[in-house]
Amino acid sequence: MSVKNTFLGNQPKSIGMAGKPITMSKLRQIIRMLHQGRSQKSIHLSTRVSINTIKAYRRKLKKSGKPIDYFLSQDELSLSKFFSSGDPAYKDIRYEQMKELLPSLSQELGKKGVTKGLLWQEYIEGHPDGYKYSQFCFHLRRYMRQKHPNLPLDHLPADKLYIDYAGATLPYIDAETGEVINCQVFVACLPYSDYCFAMAVPSQTTDDFIFALKCCLEHLGGVPKALVPDNLKAAVVQTNRYEPKINRVLEDFANHYGTVVVPARPRKPQDKALVENQVKLIYQRAYARMRNQQYFSLQELNNALISYIGKHNQTRMQKRDYCRTEQFVSKEKPLLSPLPDQPFEIKYYRNYTVAQNGHVLMGIDQRHYSVPFEYIGQKAQLIYTDTIVNIFVQSKLVATHRRNKTSGYTTNKDHLCSQHQHYRSRSTDNYLKKASMCPELERMMEVMISKKQYPEQLFRSFDGLLNLMRSYPKEHFETAIRMAIEAEQYNYTFVQNVLRNKTYINSSPPPQTPLPQHENTRGKSYYN
Protein backbone atom coordinates (compact mmCIF):
# COMPACT_ATOMS: atom_id res chain seq x y z
CA MET A 1 0.00 0.00 0.00
CA SER A 2 1.39 3.41 -0.86
CA VAL A 3 0.55 7.08 -0.97
CA LYS A 4 1.75 9.78 -3.38
CA ASN A 5 3.03 13.07 -2.10
CA THR A 6 4.08 14.96 -5.24
CA PHE A 7 2.53 15.00 -8.69
CA LEU A 8 3.64 15.45 -12.25
CA GLY A 9 2.10 18.12 -14.44
CA ASN A 10 -1.39 17.26 -15.74
CA GLN A 11 -2.12 16.49 -19.38
CA PRO A 12 -4.27 18.99 -21.33
CA LYS A 13 -7.94 18.49 -20.47
CA SER A 14 -9.47 21.11 -22.81
CA ILE A 15 -8.95 22.83 -26.12
CA GLY A 16 -10.48 25.84 -27.83
CA MET A 17 -10.43 27.34 -31.29
CA ALA A 18 -10.79 30.93 -30.16
CA GLY A 19 -8.99 30.92 -26.86
CA LYS A 20 -11.96 29.64 -24.83
CA PRO A 21 -11.30 26.18 -23.38
CA ILE A 22 -13.52 23.28 -24.44
CA THR A 23 -13.31 19.94 -22.69
CA MET A 24 -12.35 16.87 -24.70
CA SER A 25 -15.63 15.18 -23.84
CA LYS A 26 -17.57 18.14 -25.29
CA LEU A 27 -15.35 18.14 -28.36
CA ARG A 28 -16.20 14.48 -28.95
CA GLN A 29 -19.90 15.36 -28.58
CA ILE A 30 -19.56 18.03 -31.30
CA ILE A 31 -17.75 15.61 -33.64
CA ARG A 32 -20.40 12.93 -33.05
CA MET A 33 -23.24 15.42 -33.76
CA LEU A 34 -21.50 16.56 -36.96
CA HIS A 35 -21.16 12.93 -37.97
CA GLN A 36 -24.91 12.50 -37.37
CA GLY A 37 -25.58 15.43 -39.73
CA ARG A 38 -27.09 17.74 -37.15
CA SER A 39 -27.20 21.47 -37.90
CA GLN A 40 -24.76 23.92 -36.39
CA LYS A 41 -27.56 25.70 -34.54
CA SER A 42 -28.84 22.52 -32.88
CA ILE A 43 -25.28 21.64 -31.87
CA HIS A 44 -24.90 25.15 -30.45
CA LEU A 45 -28.11 24.78 -28.43
CA SER A 46 -27.01 21.38 -27.07
CA THR A 47 -23.40 22.20 -26.22
CA ARG A 48 -23.50 26.00 -25.67
CA VAL A 49 -20.42 26.27 -27.90
CA SER A 50 -20.45 29.26 -30.25
CA ILE A 51 -21.55 28.67 -33.86
CA ASN A 52 -18.30 30.19 -35.16
CA THR A 53 -16.27 27.61 -33.21
CA ILE A 54 -18.48 24.78 -34.55
CA LYS A 55 -17.93 26.14 -38.08
CA ALA A 56 -14.20 26.17 -37.53
CA TYR A 57 -14.27 22.54 -36.35
CA ARG A 58 -16.32 21.51 -39.42
CA ARG A 59 -13.90 23.27 -41.80
CA LYS A 60 -10.92 21.60 -40.12
CA LEU A 61 -12.56 18.17 -40.39
CA LYS A 62 -13.33 18.59 -44.08
CA LYS A 63 -9.86 19.93 -44.78
CA SER A 64 -8.28 16.82 -43.25
CA GLY A 65 -9.80 14.62 -46.00
CA LYS A 66 -10.59 11.90 -43.46
CA PRO A 67 -14.06 10.60 -42.49
CA ILE A 68 -15.52 12.02 -39.29
CA ASP A 69 -15.81 8.61 -37.62
CA TYR A 70 -12.03 8.32 -37.89
CA PHE A 71 -11.67 11.12 -35.33
CA LEU A 72 -14.13 9.46 -32.95
CA SER A 73 -11.71 6.53 -32.64
CA GLN A 74 -8.70 8.74 -31.79
CA ASP A 75 -7.38 9.27 -28.26
CA GLU A 76 -7.34 12.63 -26.51
CA LEU A 77 -3.69 13.38 -27.29
CA SER A 78 -4.25 12.89 -31.04
CA LEU A 79 -7.37 15.09 -31.00
CA SER A 80 -5.51 17.74 -29.04
CA LYS A 81 -2.69 17.87 -31.59
CA PHE A 82 -5.12 18.03 -34.51
CA PHE A 83 -7.55 20.66 -33.26
CA SER A 84 -5.17 22.84 -31.28
CA SER A 85 -4.24 26.01 -33.08
CA GLY A 86 -1.34 26.51 -30.68
CA ASP A 87 -0.87 29.05 -27.94
CA PRO A 88 -0.51 32.48 -29.57
CA ALA A 89 1.78 33.50 -26.75
CA TYR A 90 4.49 31.19 -28.10
CA LYS A 91 4.30 32.82 -31.56
CA ASP A 92 5.08 36.25 -30.10
CA ILE A 93 8.46 37.74 -31.05
CA ARG A 94 8.99 38.54 -27.36
CA TYR A 95 8.90 34.85 -26.52
CA GLU A 96 11.49 34.05 -29.18
CA GLN A 97 13.77 36.64 -27.62
CA MET A 98 13.21 35.39 -24.07
CA LYS A 99 13.53 31.74 -25.10
CA GLU A 100 17.23 32.28 -25.77
CA LEU A 101 17.68 33.88 -22.34
CA LEU A 102 15.86 31.22 -20.28
CA PRO A 103 18.87 28.86 -19.68
CA SER A 104 21.08 31.67 -18.37
CA LEU A 105 18.21 33.22 -16.36
CA SER A 106 17.50 29.94 -14.56
CA GLN A 107 21.20 29.57 -13.82
CA GLU A 108 21.45 33.09 -12.42
CA LEU A 109 18.38 32.54 -10.24
CA GLY A 110 20.24 29.81 -8.36
CA LYS A 111 22.92 32.26 -7.19
CA LYS A 112 22.78 33.74 -3.72
CA GLY A 113 20.81 37.00 -3.46
CA VAL A 114 19.47 36.86 -7.05
CA THR A 115 15.68 37.25 -7.31
CA LYS A 116 13.19 37.16 -10.16
CA GLY A 117 12.58 40.87 -9.66
CA LEU A 118 16.27 41.66 -10.18
CA LEU A 119 16.44 39.45 -13.29
CA TRP A 120 13.33 41.12 -14.76
CA GLN A 121 14.81 44.58 -14.22
CA GLU A 122 17.98 43.56 -16.07
CA TYR A 123 15.86 41.90 -18.81
CA ILE A 124 13.64 44.96 -19.36
CA GLU A 125 16.68 47.24 -19.61
CA GLY A 126 17.88 45.24 -22.60
CA HIS A 127 14.38 44.64 -24.02
CA PRO A 128 12.20 47.73 -23.34
CA ASP A 129 9.29 46.21 -25.30
CA GLY A 130 9.63 42.85 -23.57
CA TYR A 131 7.28 41.03 -21.21
CA LYS A 132 5.88 42.63 -18.08
CA TYR A 133 6.88 41.12 -14.75
CA SER A 134 4.01 38.60 -14.43
CA GLN A 135 4.53 37.12 -17.92
CA PHE A 136 8.30 37.11 -17.41
CA CYS A 137 7.88 35.06 -14.21
CA PHE A 138 5.34 32.75 -15.91
CA HIS A 139 7.69 31.76 -18.74
CA LEU A 140 10.71 31.45 -16.42
CA ARG A 141 8.77 29.30 -13.96
CA ARG A 142 7.43 27.08 -16.77
CA TYR A 143 10.90 26.58 -18.19
CA MET A 144 12.32 25.61 -14.80
CA ARG A 145 9.51 23.13 -14.20
CA GLN A 146 10.23 21.46 -17.52
CA LYS A 147 13.92 21.39 -16.74
CA HIS A 148 13.42 19.98 -13.21
CA PRO A 149 10.27 17.84 -13.27
CA ASN A 150 8.98 16.27 -10.05
CA LEU A 151 8.71 12.54 -9.54
CA PRO A 152 5.81 11.05 -7.56
CA LEU A 153 7.27 9.31 -4.50
CA ASP A 154 5.64 6.13 -3.24
CA HIS A 155 6.17 5.58 0.47
CA LEU A 156 5.77 2.22 2.16
CA PRO A 157 4.61 1.90 5.77
CA ALA A 158 7.41 1.62 8.40
CA ASP A 159 10.01 2.11 5.66
CA LYS A 160 11.71 5.45 6.43
CA LEU A 161 11.98 8.07 9.14
CA TYR A 162 12.86 11.58 7.91
CA ILE A 163 14.94 13.62 10.39
CA ASP A 164 15.78 17.32 10.54
CA TYR A 165 16.05 20.34 12.82
CA ALA A 166 13.69 23.30 12.67
CA GLY A 167 15.40 26.52 11.64
CA ALA A 168 13.83 28.58 14.44
CA THR A 169 14.56 27.92 18.13
CA LEU A 170 12.27 27.77 21.17
CA PRO A 171 13.28 29.58 24.40
CA TYR A 172 12.84 28.89 28.09
CA ILE A 173 13.91 30.95 31.11
CA ASP A 174 16.38 29.56 33.63
CA ALA A 175 14.48 29.74 36.93
CA GLU A 176 17.68 30.38 38.94
CA THR A 177 19.53 32.91 36.79
CA GLY A 178 16.72 34.40 34.69
CA GLU A 179 18.77 33.74 31.53
CA VAL A 180 16.82 33.08 28.32
CA ILE A 181 18.07 29.83 26.79
CA ASN A 182 17.26 29.09 23.14
CA CYS A 183 16.80 25.41 22.30
CA GLN A 184 17.06 23.57 19.01
CA VAL A 185 13.97 21.64 17.90
CA PHE A 186 14.46 18.10 16.59
CA VAL A 187 11.77 17.08 14.05
CA ALA A 188 11.07 13.65 12.54
CA CYS A 189 8.21 12.17 10.53
CA LEU A 190 7.17 8.88 8.97
CA PRO A 191 6.33 9.70 5.32
CA TYR A 192 3.65 7.04 4.86
CA SER A 193 1.34 8.31 7.60
CA ASP A 194 2.98 11.77 7.88
CA TYR A 195 3.07 11.13 11.65
CA CYS A 196 5.25 13.75 13.34
CA PHE A 197 7.53 13.82 16.40
CA ALA A 198 9.31 16.88 17.79
CA MET A 199 11.24 17.78 20.93
CA ALA A 200 13.50 20.59 22.11
CA VAL A 201 17.14 19.83 22.94
CA PRO A 202 19.94 22.10 24.17
CA SER A 203 22.01 21.89 20.97
CA GLN A 204 22.68 20.05 17.71
CA THR A 205 25.67 18.16 19.11
CA THR A 206 25.97 14.42 18.56
CA ASP A 207 24.97 13.62 22.15
CA ASP A 208 21.77 15.69 21.98
CA PHE A 209 20.96 14.42 18.47
CA ILE A 210 21.29 10.76 19.52
CA PHE A 211 19.26 11.39 22.67
CA ALA A 212 16.43 12.99 20.67
CA LEU A 213 16.50 10.18 18.08
CA LYS A 214 16.38 7.60 20.88
CA CYS A 215 13.36 9.36 22.43
CA CYS A 216 11.70 9.47 19.00
CA LEU A 217 11.99 5.70 18.44
CA GLU A 218 10.76 5.01 21.97
CA HIS A 219 7.77 7.29 21.29
CA LEU A 220 7.02 5.45 18.04
CA GLY A 221 7.33 2.12 19.82
CA GLY A 222 9.43 0.58 17.06
CA VAL A 223 12.15 1.05 14.46
CA PRO A 224 11.71 1.81 10.71
CA LYS A 225 13.87 0.16 8.07
CA ALA A 226 15.90 3.32 7.35
CA LEU A 227 16.79 6.65 8.96
CA VAL A 228 16.98 9.58 6.52
CA PRO A 229 18.71 12.54 8.23
CA ASP A 230 19.59 15.84 6.66
CA ASN A 231 23.33 16.44 6.26
CA LEU A 232 23.75 17.47 9.90
CA LYS A 233 27.22 17.49 11.44
CA ALA A 234 25.87 15.18 14.15
CA ALA A 235 24.81 12.65 11.48
CA VAL A 236 27.13 13.05 8.48
CA VAL A 237 30.87 13.61 8.81
CA GLN A 238 31.51 14.17 5.09
CA THR A 239 28.78 14.83 2.54
CA ASN A 240 28.83 13.01 -0.76
CA ARG A 241 26.07 12.49 -3.29
CA TYR A 242 26.78 8.77 -3.62
CA GLU A 243 28.61 7.58 -0.50
CA PRO A 244 28.37 10.05 2.39
CA LYS A 245 30.56 9.32 5.42
CA ILE A 246 28.25 8.65 8.36
CA ASN A 247 29.09 9.73 11.90
CA ARG A 248 30.53 6.70 13.74
CA VAL A 249 28.16 7.21 16.68
CA LEU A 250 25.11 7.24 14.39
CA GLU A 251 26.36 4.06 12.72
CA ASP A 252 26.64 2.39 16.13
CA PHE A 253 23.14 3.62 16.96
CA ALA A 254 21.73 2.19 13.72
CA ASN A 255 23.45 -1.15 14.29
CA HIS A 256 22.12 -1.31 17.83
CA TYR A 257 18.55 -0.66 16.66
CA GLY A 258 18.78 -2.88 13.58
CA THR A 259 18.28 -0.18 10.94
CA VAL A 260 20.34 1.67 8.31
CA VAL A 261 21.24 5.32 7.69
CA VAL A 262 20.54 6.80 4.23
CA PRO A 263 21.23 10.57 4.35
CA ALA A 264 19.38 12.90 2.00
CA ARG A 265 21.43 14.22 -0.89
CA PRO A 266 23.21 17.50 -0.13
CA ARG A 267 21.32 20.59 -1.33
CA LYS A 268 18.34 18.45 -2.40
CA PRO A 269 15.44 19.50 -0.14
CA GLN A 270 12.97 17.53 -2.27
CA ASP A 271 14.49 14.33 -0.85
CA LYS A 272 12.94 15.21 2.50
CA ALA A 273 10.06 17.43 1.43
CA LEU A 274 7.70 15.89 3.97
CA VAL A 275 9.80 16.73 7.01
CA GLU A 276 10.37 20.24 5.60
CA ASN A 277 6.58 20.57 5.35
CA GLN A 278 6.24 19.28 8.92
CA VAL A 279 8.54 22.05 10.11
CA LYS A 280 6.22 24.62 8.48
CA LEU A 281 3.20 23.02 10.14
CA ILE A 282 4.95 22.99 13.52
CA TYR A 283 5.60 26.72 13.15
CA GLN A 284 1.87 27.25 12.63
CA ARG A 285 0.45 24.77 15.12
CA ALA A 286 3.04 24.84 17.93
CA TYR A 287 5.39 27.84 17.69
CA ALA A 288 2.56 30.30 17.04
CA ARG A 289 0.58 29.06 20.05
CA MET A 290 3.63 29.03 22.33
CA ARG A 291 4.89 32.49 21.41
CA ASN A 292 3.21 34.31 24.33
CA GLN A 293 3.91 31.65 26.96
CA GLN A 294 6.85 31.49 29.36
CA TYR A 295 8.54 28.24 30.36
CA PHE A 296 11.05 27.85 33.18
CA SER A 297 12.72 24.57 32.33
CA LEU A 298 13.47 22.41 29.33
CA GLN A 299 11.01 19.85 30.66
CA GLU A 300 8.17 22.42 30.76
CA LEU A 301 9.03 23.54 27.24
CA ASN A 302 8.95 19.97 25.93
CA ASN A 303 5.70 19.14 27.71
CA ALA A 304 4.00 22.05 25.92
CA LEU A 305 5.61 21.23 22.56
CA ILE A 306 4.65 17.54 22.74
CA SER A 307 1.08 18.49 23.64
CA TYR A 308 0.73 20.69 20.55
CA ILE A 309 2.37 18.08 18.32
CA GLY A 310 -0.13 15.52 19.63
CA LYS A 311 -3.02 17.80 18.65
CA HIS A 312 -1.41 18.33 15.24
CA ASN A 313 -1.20 14.56 14.67
CA GLN A 314 -4.86 14.19 15.63
CA THR A 315 -6.06 16.93 13.27
CA ARG A 316 -7.98 15.60 10.28
CA MET A 317 -5.81 15.89 7.14
CA GLN A 318 -7.00 17.77 4.06
CA LYS A 319 -8.50 15.55 1.36
CA ARG A 320 -8.26 12.59 3.77
CA ASP A 321 -10.89 10.95 5.93
CA TYR A 322 -8.38 10.17 8.70
CA CYS A 323 -5.77 11.90 10.86
CA ARG A 324 -2.06 11.14 11.11
CA THR A 325 -2.40 9.28 14.40
CA GLU A 326 -5.12 6.97 13.03
CA GLN A 327 -3.06 6.15 9.96
CA PHE A 328 0.08 5.54 12.01
CA VAL A 329 -1.54 3.34 14.65
CA SER A 330 -3.60 1.25 12.24
CA LYS A 331 -1.27 0.85 9.25
CA GLU A 332 2.31 1.67 10.25
CA LYS A 333 3.06 0.94 13.91
CA PRO A 334 2.40 -2.85 13.64
CA LEU A 335 5.06 -3.07 10.89
CA LEU A 336 7.86 -1.32 12.82
CA SER A 337 10.70 -3.53 14.05
CA PRO A 338 10.80 -4.06 17.83
CA LEU A 339 13.01 -1.93 20.04
CA PRO A 340 16.16 -3.63 21.43
CA ASP A 341 16.10 -4.93 24.99
CA GLN A 342 19.20 -3.01 26.09
CA PRO A 343 19.36 0.81 25.96
CA PHE A 344 21.89 2.35 23.61
CA GLU A 345 25.02 3.95 25.04
CA ILE A 346 27.10 6.30 22.94
CA LYS A 347 30.55 4.94 22.16
CA TYR A 348 33.51 7.30 21.92
CA TYR A 349 36.73 6.46 20.08
CA ARG A 350 40.21 7.67 21.02
CA ASN A 351 43.73 6.54 20.07
CA TYR A 352 46.60 6.56 22.59
CA THR A 353 50.00 4.96 23.23
CA VAL A 354 50.47 2.60 26.19
CA ALA A 355 52.79 4.37 28.65
CA GLN A 356 55.90 2.85 30.24
CA ASN A 357 53.94 2.18 33.43
CA GLY A 358 51.53 -0.09 31.52
CA HIS A 359 48.61 2.35 31.58
CA VAL A 360 46.68 4.40 29.02
CA LEU A 361 45.65 7.91 29.97
CA MET A 362 42.07 8.79 28.95
CA GLY A 363 42.32 12.55 28.66
CA ILE A 364 38.66 13.47 29.13
CA ASP A 365 38.67 12.16 32.73
CA GLN A 366 42.44 12.31 33.37
CA ARG A 367 42.16 8.65 34.38
CA HIS A 368 44.83 5.97 33.77
CA TYR A 369 43.66 2.46 32.81
CA SER A 370 45.96 -0.57 32.85
CA VAL A 371 46.69 -2.96 29.98
CA PRO A 372 48.81 -6.15 30.03
CA PHE A 373 52.48 -5.17 30.40
CA GLU A 374 53.52 -6.86 27.11
CA TYR A 375 51.70 -4.07 25.19
CA ILE A 376 53.80 -1.25 26.66
CA GLY A 377 54.77 1.24 23.92
CA GLN A 378 52.14 0.05 21.41
CA LYS A 379 49.23 1.99 19.92
CA ALA A 380 45.90 1.36 21.62
CA GLN A 381 42.34 2.36 20.77
CA LEU A 382 39.93 3.23 23.57
CA ILE A 383 36.24 2.66 22.92
CA TYR A 384 34.33 3.91 25.92
CA THR A 385 30.77 4.62 26.97
CA ASP A 386 29.36 6.33 30.01
CA THR A 387 30.02 3.20 32.09
CA ILE A 388 32.60 0.96 30.35
CA VAL A 389 36.12 1.44 28.93
CA ASN A 390 37.34 -1.12 26.38
CA ILE A 391 40.98 -1.06 25.22
CA PHE A 392 42.01 -2.61 21.89
CA VAL A 393 45.52 -3.25 20.55
CA GLN A 394 45.74 -4.31 16.90
CA SER A 395 41.95 -4.81 16.85
CA LYS A 396 42.18 -7.23 19.80
CA LEU A 397 40.34 -6.52 23.07
CA VAL A 398 43.07 -6.59 25.73
CA ALA A 399 41.41 -4.87 28.70
CA THR A 400 37.98 -3.86 30.01
CA HIS A 401 37.43 -1.52 32.95
CA ARG A 402 34.54 0.17 34.71
CA ARG A 403 34.70 3.86 33.87
CA ASN A 404 35.74 6.13 36.70
CA LYS A 405 35.27 9.83 35.94
CA THR A 406 37.72 11.02 38.62
CA SER A 407 41.45 11.44 38.02
CA GLY A 408 43.77 8.66 39.18
CA TYR A 409 44.63 5.05 38.32
CA THR A 410 42.51 1.97 37.62
CA THR A 411 44.78 -1.07 37.66
CA ASN A 412 44.11 -4.77 37.17
CA LYS A 413 46.93 -6.57 39.03
CA ASP A 414 46.92 -9.37 36.43
CA HIS A 415 48.13 -6.81 33.88
CA LEU A 416 51.37 -6.17 35.81
CA CYS A 417 54.69 -7.97 35.49
CA SER A 418 55.75 -10.27 38.35
CA GLN A 419 57.82 -7.59 40.11
CA HIS A 420 55.02 -5.10 39.96
CA GLN A 421 52.48 -7.70 41.06
CA HIS A 422 54.61 -8.38 44.14
CA TYR A 423 54.85 -4.68 44.79
CA ARG A 424 51.08 -4.21 44.49
CA SER A 425 50.27 -7.26 46.65
CA ARG A 426 52.31 -6.14 49.69
CA SER A 427 50.52 -6.24 53.04
CA THR A 428 51.41 -6.93 56.69
CA ASP A 429 49.65 -10.29 56.57
CA ASN A 430 51.69 -11.37 53.55
CA TYR A 431 54.95 -10.40 55.25
CA LEU A 432 54.04 -12.19 58.51
CA LYS A 433 53.20 -15.27 56.47
CA LYS A 434 56.63 -15.20 54.81
CA ALA A 435 58.34 -14.68 58.19
CA SER A 436 56.51 -17.58 59.89
CA MET A 437 59.44 -19.95 59.15
CA CYS A 438 61.53 -17.87 61.60
CA PRO A 439 59.56 -17.27 64.84
CA GLU A 440 62.08 -14.64 66.04
CA LEU A 441 61.63 -12.62 62.82
CA GLU A 442 57.85 -12.97 63.03
CA ARG A 443 57.91 -11.67 66.61
CA MET A 444 60.12 -8.74 65.57
CA MET A 445 57.78 -7.84 62.67
CA GLU A 446 54.75 -7.87 64.98
CA VAL A 447 56.49 -5.36 67.25
CA MET A 448 57.41 -3.19 64.24
CA ILE A 449 53.78 -3.28 62.98
CA SER A 450 52.52 -2.26 66.44
CA LYS A 451 54.63 0.90 66.22
CA LYS A 452 52.44 2.05 63.26
CA GLN A 453 55.19 3.23 60.97
CA TYR A 454 54.48 4.63 57.51
CA PRO A 455 53.52 1.55 55.43
CA GLU A 456 55.95 2.23 52.58
CA GLN A 457 58.91 2.50 54.97
CA LEU A 458 57.74 -0.51 56.99
CA PHE A 459 57.46 -2.67 53.88
CA ARG A 460 60.95 -1.68 52.78
CA SER A 461 62.34 -2.75 56.19
CA PHE A 462 60.50 -6.08 55.90
CA ASP A 463 61.92 -6.63 52.39
CA GLY A 464 65.43 -5.97 53.77
CA LEU A 465 64.99 -8.39 56.67
CA LEU A 466 63.66 -11.13 54.37
CA ASN A 467 66.59 -10.58 52.04
CA LEU A 468 69.01 -11.00 55.01
CA MET A 469 67.22 -14.20 55.99
CA ARG A 470 67.88 -15.61 52.51
CA SER A 471 71.50 -14.39 52.46
CA TYR A 472 72.87 -15.69 55.85
CA PRO A 473 72.83 -19.04 57.63
CA LYS A 474 69.70 -19.63 59.63
CA GLU A 475 71.39 -19.87 63.05
CA HIS A 476 73.36 -16.65 62.48
CA PHE A 477 70.27 -14.76 61.31
CA GLU A 478 68.18 -16.00 64.26
CA THR A 479 70.93 -14.92 66.68
CA ALA A 480 71.05 -11.45 65.11
CA ILE A 481 67.26 -11.11 65.42
CA ARG A 482 67.38 -12.14 69.11
CA MET A 483 70.10 -9.54 69.73
CA ALA A 484 67.96 -6.85 68.07
CA ILE A 485 64.94 -7.80 70.21
CA GLU A 486 67.04 -7.82 73.44
CA ALA A 487 68.50 -4.43 72.50
CA GLU A 488 65.05 -3.17 71.43
CA GLN A 489 66.52 -2.18 68.06
CA TYR A 490 63.61 -3.09 65.76
CA ASN A 491 65.14 -2.09 62.46
CA TYR A 492 66.90 -3.51 59.44
CA THR A 493 70.17 -1.57 59.92
CA PHE A 494 70.92 -3.04 63.37
CA VAL A 495 70.40 -6.63 62.17
CA GLN A 496 72.51 -5.96 59.05
CA ASN A 497 75.39 -4.57 61.15
CA VAL A 498 75.29 -7.55 63.51
CA LEU A 499 75.53 -9.97 60.60
CA ARG A 500 78.06 -7.97 58.61
CA ASN A 501 80.37 -7.39 61.65
CA LYS A 502 79.78 -10.91 62.95
CA THR A 503 78.82 -9.54 66.30
CA TYR A 504 76.72 -12.63 66.82
CA ILE A 505 79.98 -14.64 67.51
CA ASN A 506 80.48 -12.90 70.87
CA SER A 507 76.84 -12.73 71.60
CA SER A 508 77.03 -15.15 74.66
CA PRO A 509 76.77 -13.17 77.95
CA PRO A 510 80.08 -12.79 79.99
CA PRO A 511 80.43 -15.09 83.06
CA GLN A 512 79.32 -13.55 86.32
CA THR A 513 82.02 -13.51 89.06
CA PRO A 514 80.70 -13.63 92.65
CA LEU A 515 81.36 -10.64 94.88
CA PRO A 516 84.05 -11.13 97.51
CA GLN A 517 82.92 -11.82 101.08
CA HIS A 518 83.63 -8.93 103.44
CA GLU A 519 81.96 -7.36 106.41
CA ASN A 520 80.62 -4.38 104.54
CA THR A 521 78.22 -6.56 102.62
CA ARG A 522 74.69 -5.67 103.43
CA GLY A 523 72.08 -8.31 103.53
CA LYS A 524 68.48 -8.05 102.52
CA SER A 525 67.45 -7.48 106.10
CA TYR A 526 69.20 -4.13 105.94
CA TYR A 527 66.63 -2.77 103.47
CA ASN A 528 63.67 -4.00 105.51
Side-chain angles (χ1 to χ4, degrees), residues 330-368:
S330 63
K331 301 290 181 62
E332 197 155 19
K333 188 172 183 178
L335 300 179
L336 294 172
S337 301
L339 294 168
D341 296 331
Q342 298 297 324
F344 174 76
E345 285 190 304
I346 295 180
K347 293 179 182 178
Y348 301 92
Y349 300 80
R350 297 290 185 274
N351 293 319
Y352 298 102
T353 300
V354 181
Q356 194 65 31
N357 62 6
H359 290 71
V360 174
L361 171 62
M362 192 169 81
I364 189 172
D365 299 330
Q366 288 299 301
R367 188 82 186 178
H368 301 258

Side-chain angles (χ1 to χ4, degrees), residues 481-497:
I481 293 296
R482 281 196 297 270
M483 292 177 65
I485 294 173
E486 290 172 1
E488 297 185 354
Q489 297 293 321
Y490 302 104
N491 59 75
Y492 162 79
T493 304
F494 182 87
V495 177
Q496 182 190 42
N497 289 336

Side-chain angles (χ1 to χ4, degrees), residues 88-100 123 127 129-131:
Y90 294 98
K91 297 179 180 179
D92 192 332
I93 186 62
R94 293 177 299 177
Y95 179 74
E96 294 299 327
Q97 294 171 347
M98 186 173 177
K99 187 177 179 180
E100 298 176 0
Y123 159 78
H127 304 81
D129 298 328
Y131 286 120

Side-chain angles (χ1 to χ4, degrees), residues 316-332:
R316 195 72 63 185
M317 300 172 70
Q318 291 183 2
K319 300 180 182 179
R320 300 283 191 275
D321 58 353
Y322 53 81
C323 66
R324 293 173 176 84
T325 301
E326 292 171 346
Q327 184 77 344
F328 166 69
V329 172
S330 63
K331 301 290 181 62
E332 197 155 19

Side-chain angles (χ1 to χ4, degrees), residues 248 349-352 354 375 378-383 390-399:
R248 183 73 174 269
Y349 300 80
R350 297 290 185 274
N351 293 319
Y352 298 102
V354 181
Y375 297 108
Q378 297 191 36
K379 297 292 183 180
Q381 183 183 46
L382 267 70
I383 302 178
N390 291 318
I391 304 176
F392 293 81
V393 176
Q394 297 178 354
S395 302
K396 177 184 176 183
L397 179 64
V398 298

